[in-house]
Amino acid sequence: MLQVQFIRENKQTVLDGLAKRSFENAEAIINEVLTTDETRRATQVSLDNTLAESNKISKEIGGLFKSGEIEKANLLKEKTGELKEKSKQLTEELSVASNKLQDLLYQIPNVPHASVKAGKNEEDNETIFSEGTIPDLGEKALPHWELAKKYDIIDFDLGSKITGAGFPVYKGKGARLQRALINYFLDKNIAAGYSEVQVPHLVNEASGIGTGQLPDKEGQMYHVTGDDLYLIPTAEVPITNIHRNDLVKENDLPIKYTGYTPCFRREAGSYGAHVRGLNRLHQFDKVEIVRIEHPENSYNALNEMVEHIKGILRELKLPYRILRLCGGDTGFVSALTFDFELYSTAQERWLEISSASNFETYQANRLKLRFKNKEGKSQLVHTLNGSSLALPRVLAGILENYQTEDGINIPEVLIPYCGFDKID
């Protein structure tokens, strides 16, 4: 979340940034934040003064009793009783103001980076890079859900029987290709200096709040109510929370992690032909990269992540493009996001397969994740994450773009991981 001091000192910058997002009632909520913060700070001052006065009188009482001035001591004891009642009331008022302030701050998204343009939705995003050749598959090209059925490698009906729509069953070479992609992505990330971690697939409320998934405004997370735990929507949540409430050493930065997890998203309201097959699922696999960075290096780190993801797509020889998201399409906690999309030749549409984002201090402030700078002061880190990569649409792109009349070829870089070079 945004820091109150930053809002107080940069009110117009915050309002201009929120305008890029078309964030409604921005000025009203920012004004309420500042008013509530003034109340909180004034209450804190009154409480501190009251406690200081009470402590001073308590010391005087001890001296009066020792010197035999009992009557004076008893009068002061009455005064301390009044001060205790006042401090109790002020403590309650401080708690109310602090909780209200936090609730308000949770409602405010991150301020977009200066390079982010204003916009309302994906139609306003900017294409900044594209690479790769879109293959000519001819009129007989099939979408991946028909290829999956033809070669019996993904069973959507069986998944619906076991669980429901959006939970496919991968079979035979389909399952092996899925596992090959996971191992390939992890190996590429480890070679780039990321440390592999295996993390829980369920998180507590504090973890969800720390990375900004909670409070859950869109109802996208599966909630295990009996234990008050949440199924993770992405490995970013448990991996970033490894360092919640930590004071890391400046010399340890950057901290770089990669991890594979299944991801669970309710995706409420997603229907229609555009979400058929693997295009949108409730459970899917993803390999994530997470970085904890010194603020001075975070945008260099974001560029490194973008180049790293480019390298993977080049090796897979898939046509792709990179978008810089506009304000209205940038995620709630992100300051700058680049989306990667690959071209699905059979569907004749672009499919999002990755995003790389810099959250600056937004997550770190929630996580209370800091480092000590050279002056010895604690300072918030910057956090970043990226998909490298989300598997369903990568798999869909491979099936569709590598299809031939007699089967589906496997990208050369994946053959050692698969143990076969064709699905037929």
Side-chain angles (χ1 to χ4, degrees), residues 35-46:
T35 301
T36 304
D37 183 50
E38 287 176 8
T39 300
R40 180 190 64 82
R41 288 190 292 155
T43 305
Q44 183 69 67
V45 170
S46 296

Side-chain angles (χ1 to χ4, degrees), residues 145 269-277 279-280 349:
W145 54 85
S270 296
Y271 304 99
H274 67 290
V275 296
R276 287 192 67 181
N279 288 349
R280 185 162 296 172
R349 60 189 293 254

Side-chain angles (χ1 to χ4, degrees), residues 179-417:
R179 179 158 47 89
L181 281 165
I182 293 167
N183 289 333
Y184 165 66
F185 293 152
L186 286 172
D187 284 352
K188 289 293 293 183
N189 297 344
I190 292 166
Y194 293 87
S195 177
E196 183 181 1
V197 289
Q198 289 188 353
V199 289
H201 302 161
L202 288 149
V203 294
N204 55 32
E205 184 181 47
S207 293
I209 290 172
T211 46
Q213 279 71 28
L214 294 175
D216 190 355
K217 299 174 182 61
E218 300 176 356
Q220 292 298 311
M221 294 178 73
Y222 285 99
H223 187 198
V224 183
T225 54
D227 298 302
D228 196 21
L229 297 173
Y230 295 84
L231 287 166
I232 60 170
T234 167
E236 169 205 340
V237 181
I239 292 176
T240 310
N241 272 278
I242 288 172
H243 292 287
R244 175 158 45 92
N245 296 323
D246 280 1
L247 181 65
V248 300
K249 295 178 182 178
E250 185 172 16
N251 291 339
D252 289 339
L253 299 176
I255 298 170
K256 300 164 64 176
Y257 291 118
T258 186
Y260 152 71
T261 65
C263 304
F264 305 89
R265 298 183 187 177
R266 294 185 63 243
E267 298 285 10
S270 296
Y271 304 99
H274 67 290
V275 296
R276 287 192 67 181
L278 298 172
N279 288 349
R280 185 162 296 172
L281 301 173
H282 293 306
Q283 178 182 328
F284 61 95
D285 291 321
K286 185 152 68 85
V287 175
E288 199 81 356
I289 50 177
V290 171
R291 295 177 71 135
I292 297 169
E293 289 281 349
H294 193 290
E296 294 176 359
N297 190 57
S298 68
Y299 279 97
N300 289 332
L302 182 60
N303 291 335
E304 286 180 18
M305 293 168 70
V306 168
E307 291 301 317
H308 176 67
I309 298 167
K310 278 185 184 180
I312 292 174
L313 290 168
R314 282 171 183 154
E315 287 192 353
L316 290 173
K317 297 180 180 177
L318 291 169
Y320 71 95
R321 67 181 184 181
I322 303 174
L323 307 178
R324 178 165 49 214
L325 301 192
C326 70
D329 203 32
T330 298
F332 192 86
V333 301
S334 176
L336 175 61
T337 295
F338 295 105
D339 267 7
F340 284 74
E341 297 181 338
L342 68 77
Y343 192 75
S344 165
T345 306
Q347 297 180 69
E348 297 182 339
R349 60 189 293 254
W350 292 95
L351 303 174
E352 180 193 337
I353 54 165
S354 176
S355 63
S357 301
N358 188 345
F359 307 116
E360 296 187 357
T361 61
Y362 194 92
Q363 286 184 334
N365 191 31
R366 287 174 172 237
L367 294 160
K368 295 180 173 57
L369 173 51
R370 301 172 181 267
F371 71 99
K372 273 196 175 179
N373 61 26
K374 293 175 183 177
E375 289 74 36
K377 296 180 180 179
S378 64
Q379 182 178 344
L380 292 171
V381 300
H382 281 193
T383 60
L384 304 91
N385 91 283
S387 307
S388 106
L389 295 162
L391 272 77
R393 294 177 180 178
V394 173
L395 187 59
I398 290 172
L399 297 180
E400 293 179 4
N401 291 335
Y402 277 84
Q403 65 180 294
T404 66
E405 291 184 1
D406 59 350
I408 302 165
N409 293 326
I410 300 299
E412 186 177 352
V413 71
L414 293 179
I415 293 173
Y417 290 90

